[in-house]
């Protein structure tokens, strides 16, 4: 009886805990368009990236050969990935009312386009794109980059 | 037999060589700064070997793991457009924006703004999967707290109506600015129709 109660209590804690984690994890953006084959890796799971796929911090987005992908982040940053591109949303904080904004993207390889959103406007030094060949500091702008480590 | 094997090996080496060469030619990392709405921002490209700033449209720097970012060169826009077209066409299109107005102390739309609602529905449906942001504002009549609430109610009322009209945006942000960001600045406690509004951005 006592043991059942303890198990029930633990189970409740676990359910409450995971519900809390879900709430804390708000979307960072979505896949706006896809051509060809593209995937999102999250917590060791690999899922096809389809139009409307909601993205979270930590997601790794990869495109296949001849694939391309359009991404819109919550702060209105627009991204596009060309073929054979591997990118991860390392950090995305957009709480402008609390003065908390910042973004770190990691591009391991590939070809991408970028148009900055509100984070770069609010805090120009808080946007960084890390790659194996260089770090890009972005001050409100539009650019393309090819990363071939 | 041996000769045949040698031939194959030689061919193999040639192929490897060709691959290595083409690999080298393609394996150049770079950044190109582009114009955006007539403005040009700035990108700083930094690695262990050095740093370069791009601050003019169509400037390019090349870099490598152990190669410092090169001195920026000015590109001919037409010469690179084809190379960049695959990533440029995949970028989400610029958003459409709407401005809706409200009567004093109300979350209903003014008769002038009412016909804009179907327009918003149309663009949400055209742009699926869509993102919408709705920012509610008020005039300066009433307290900060009251207007913060009214601004939020305005934003949520618009969202509810858009949903009832059959739209289902994937990403939704509703925000209230209360009376803190008037379109027309007025003294406190001043009714001003142009400040009682919701700003809507559809991507």
């Amino acid at each position: 009886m006592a043991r059942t109660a303890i198990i029930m209590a633990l189970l409740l804690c676990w359910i409450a805990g995971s519900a809390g984690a879900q709430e804390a994890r708000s979307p960072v953006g979505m896949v706006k368009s896809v051509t060809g084959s593209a995937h999102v890796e999250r917590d060791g799971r690999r899922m096809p990236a389809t139009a409307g796929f909601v993205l979270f911090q930590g997601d790794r987005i990869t495109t296949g050969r001849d694939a391309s992908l359009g991404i819109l982040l919550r702060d209105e940053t627009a991204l596009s990935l060309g073929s054979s591109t591997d990118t991860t949303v390392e950090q995305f904080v957009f709480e402008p009312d609390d003065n908390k904004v910042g973004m770190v993207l990691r591009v391991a390889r590939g070809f991408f386009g970028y148009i900055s959103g509100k984070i770069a406007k609010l805090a120009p030094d808080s946007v960084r794109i890390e790659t194996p060949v260089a770090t890009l500091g972005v001050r409100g702008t539009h650019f393309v980059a090819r990363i071939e480590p | 037999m041996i000769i045949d094997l040698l031939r194959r090996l030689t061919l193999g080496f040639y192929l490897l060589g060709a691959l290595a060469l083409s690999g080298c030619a393609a394996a150049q990392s770079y950044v190109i700064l582009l114009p955006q709405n007539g403005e040009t921002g700035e990108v700083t490209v930094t690695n262990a070997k050095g740093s370069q700033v791009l601050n003019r449209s169509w400037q390019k720097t090349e870099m490598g793991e152990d190669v410092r970012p090169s001195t920026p060169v000015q590109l001919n826009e037409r010469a690179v457009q084809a190379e960049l077209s695959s990533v440029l066409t995949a970028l989400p299109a610029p958003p459409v924006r709407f401005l809706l107005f409200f009567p004093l102390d109300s979350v209903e739309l003014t008769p002038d703004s009412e016909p804009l609602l179907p327009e918003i529905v149309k663009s949400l449906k055209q742009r699926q999967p869509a993102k919408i942001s709705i920012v509610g504002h008020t005039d300066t009549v009433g307290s900060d707290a009251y207007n913060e609430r009214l601004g939020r109610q305005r934003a949520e009322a618009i969202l509810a109506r858009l949903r009832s009209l059959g739209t289902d945006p994937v990403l939704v942000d509703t925000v209230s600015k209360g009376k803190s960001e008037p379109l027309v600045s007025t003294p406190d406690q001043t009714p001003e129709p142009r400040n009682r509004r919701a700003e809507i951005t559809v991507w």
Side-chain angles (χ1 to χ4, degrees):
Chain A
M1 190 64 184
R3 195 197 265 177
T4 317
I6 289 168
I7 289 170
M8 285 298 284
L10 282 174
L11 202 63
L12 278 174
C13 284
W14 178 72
I15 290 166
S18 54
Q22 285 287 310
E23 270 174 23
R25 232 180 159 189
S26 58
V28 304
M30 68 168 166
V31 175
K32 184 76 175 149
S33 62
V34 193
T35 50
S37 152
H39 289 87
V40 176
E41 271 180 51
R42 179 184 304 157
D43 303 329
R45 283 180 62 212
R46 189 163 182 267
M47 300 161 277
T50 48
F53 192 100
V54 175
L55 298 169
F56 290 87
Q57 180 172 293
D59 282 356
R60 178 181 182 194
I61 306 128
T62 54
T63 56
R65 279 180 152 198
D66 303 321
S68 67
L69 195 78
I71 293 173
L72 187 63
L73 299 180
R74 247 184 61 224
D75 79 317
E76 305 187 345
T77 297
L79 276 175
S80 61
L81 311 183
S83 60
S84 306
T85 299
D86 178 346
T87 184
T88 304
V89 184
E90 295 279 351
Q91 190 206 23
F92 183 92
V93 183
F94 183 55
E95 309 293 342
D97 290 344
D98 300 333
N99 279 320
K100 281 191 278 184
V101 296
M103 173 161 68
V104 180
L105 299 176
R106 173 154 189 83
V107 181
R109 60 161 291 134
F111 193 25
F112 69 99
Y114 176 99
I115 301 175
S116 53
K118 287 181 178 159
I119 293 178
K121 287 193 187 84
L122 292 168
D125 292 317
S126 69
V127 179
R128 202 167 72 233
I129 299 175
E130 293 176 347
T131 81
V133 292
T135 295
L136 316 184
V138 181
R139 285 176 156 267
T141 196
H142 179 20
F143 67 87
V144 293
R146 188 180 280 284
I147 304 300
E148 299 289 346
Chain B
M1 178 83 169
I2 289 173
I3 287 172
D4 194 37
L5 188 68
L6 272 174
R7 264 198 203 135
R8 281 190 197 186
L9 273 174
T10 322
L11 186 66
F13 278 123
Y14 276 125
L15 280 175
L16 269 178
L19 269 177
L21 277 177
S22 66
C24 283
Q28 183 61 61
S29 300
Y30 62 75
V31 180
I32 300 173
L33 192 61
L34 302 173
Q36 167 72 355
N37 298 333
E39 290 173 36
T40 301
E42 194 177 285
V43 181
T44 311
V45 182
T46 309
N47 65 17
K49 301 286 178 180
S51 183
Q52 285 291 346
V53 177
L54 303 182
N55 53 20
R56 263 181 284 160
S57 296
W58 303 104
Q59 266 185 338
K60 176 185 189 180
T61 181
E62 296 181 343
M63 65 283 186
E65 223 156 333
D66 293 310
V67 185
R68 67 173 188 84
S70 61
T71 306
V73 291
Q74 196 70 36
L75 299 176
N76 180 341
E77 174 179 342
R78 284 207 202 110
V80 285
Q81 208 114 46
E83 186 189 340
L84 306 185
S85 72
S86 69
V87 283
L88 294 184
T89 51
L91 276 169
V96 273
R97 299 180 201 277
F98 301 89
L99 198 50
L100 302 175
F101 295 96
F102 301 82
L104 184 68
D105 217 14
S106 169
V107 299
E108 306 289 326
L109 290 173
T110 62
D112 279 351
S113 289
E114 192 61 38
L116 280 173
L117 219 54
E119 295 291 315
I120 303 174
V121 169
K122 203 168 119 195
S123 60
L124 279 169
K125 289 187 171 171
Q126 278 168 351
R127 286 165 171 259
Q128 276 175 316
K131 172 185 188 300
I132 189 169
S133 110
I134 308 175
V135 184
H137 298 268
T138 70
D139 61 22
T140 58
V141 178
S143 69
D144 284 345
Y146 179 83
N147 282 303
E148 204 281 326
R149 195 163 59 243
L150 180 58
R152 194 170 61 242
Q153 285 165 347
R154 282 178 174 160
E156 280 163 7
I158 297 300
L159 180 62
R161 289 199 59 191
L162 290 171
R163 284 196 163 133
S164 75
L165 291 165
T167 65
D168 187 19
V170 174
L171 292 181
V172 175
D173 268 313
T174 55
V175 176
S176 172
K177 296 289 181 186
K179 59 176 177 177
S180 66
E181 290 182 16
L183 201 58
V184 181
S185 59
T186 68
D188 200 21
Q189 309 305 326
T190 307
E192 170 53 66
R194 284 170 293 178
N195 288 339
R196 301 191 292 259
R197 70 202 194 277
E199 292 166 354
I200 287 141
T201 310
V202 177
W203 284 84

